[in-house]
Amino acid sequence: MTETEAALRALAHNVRAIRTRAGLSLDELGRRAKVSKGALVALEKAQGNPNFATLVRLADTLGISVSALTEGQAEGRVRVVSADAVMPLWAGEKGGEARLMLTTSGPAPVEVWRWKLEPGEAYPSHPHQAGVVETVSVTAGQMVLVVDGTEHPVEAGQTATFDSDVPHAYRGAGTGTCHLIMTVHIPPGPAQGLPG
């Protein structure tokens, strides 16, 4: 089995198990997440190739992290993850990318992301569920964080945090590549975690 097939099988298993545990039909999950029933059926059969926005909408609707949808069972007490071992979940038109490195366990998980944005390259995000807080730490270069229509320049060595239940976007600025670490703090939810 290839790495992609294994990832699709883990995603299919997780979506089906978490949806069932939450007591949602395919129709109801699709309606709430704004994802077609056909796409959900294919996803639960480990078919197709869901995009990043679909995964975020499903995770938000189910009250879980994106990685709770995509990861297999936790292995051991300590996890060390290399950036080159994680496939990008978003790729920009100029070479930027976003990689979900890991998600902490527990009732209020935190996702840890590595982002790379080229100058002028942007990623717009829809509002997340109430209570989700994002933190962006720029390690190199410059970016513009747009939160609910207001632009906030963030440079290397600076960190910004915001409630992400409003439209927001990340845009590369300056003349060089912007590297940043983003954390997404997810409030406890009824469907938290993976089934045993």
Side-chain angles (χ1 to χ4, degrees):
M1 177 182 326
T2 70
E3 187 177 321
T4 301
E5 289 171 333
L8 280 173
R9 285 183 187 222
L11 177 62
H13 173 268
N14 295 342
V15 169
R16 184 173 37 259
I18 296 167
R19 175 184 62 78
T20 301
R21 194 172 68 228
L24 296 173
S25 66
L26 285 166
D27 288 324
E28 183 62 15
L29 177 57
R31 185 186 66 73
R32 290 183 186 184
K34 297 182 175 96
V35 174
S36 74
K37 181 178 178 181
L40 286 174
V41 168
L43 195 149
E44 288 193 3
K45 289 182 176 179
Q47 299 169 346
N49 186 16
N51 65 32
F52 179 53
T54 298
L55 294 178
V56 170
R57 283 195 305 271
L58 286 171
D60 279 350
T61 301
L62 293 168
I64 59 171
S65 66
V66 172
S67 63
L69 288 178
T70 59
E71 291 180 346
Q73 295 294 330
E75 299 172 13
R77 205 169 184 166
V78 175
R79 279 187 299 157
V80 177
V81 181
S82 298
D84 58 356
V86 178
M87 293 186 60
L89 288 178
W90 172 79
E93 68 279 358
K94 296 180 180 180
E97 61 184 28
R99 295 173 189 256
L100 176 56
M101 299 304 296
L102 60 85
T103 301
T104 62
S105 59
V110 176
E111 295 177 346
V112 179
W113 292 79
R114 282 183 180 241
W115 284 76
K116 179 175 82 170
L117 294 167
E118 297 301 329
E121 189 171 50
Y123 175 78
S125 179
H126 71 284
H128 299 301
Q129 66 179 336
V132 174
V133 175
E134 293 187 23
T135 301
V136 213
S137 296
V138 176
T139 59
Q142 302 172 334
M143 71 171 288
V144 174
L145 172 64
V146 183
V147 179
D148 206 15
T150 302
E151 295 188 358
H152 306 273
V154 186
E155 299 179 359
Q158 293 183 322
T159 299
T161 188
F162 63 99
D163 295 330
S164 57
D165 58 352
V166 295
H168 53 283
Y170 319 103
R171 185 174 69 236
T175 58
T177 303
C178 176
H179 293 271
L180 61 105
I181 302 295
M182 178 182 75
T183 58
V184 180
H185 304 260
I186 302 165
Q192 211 54 263
L194 291 175

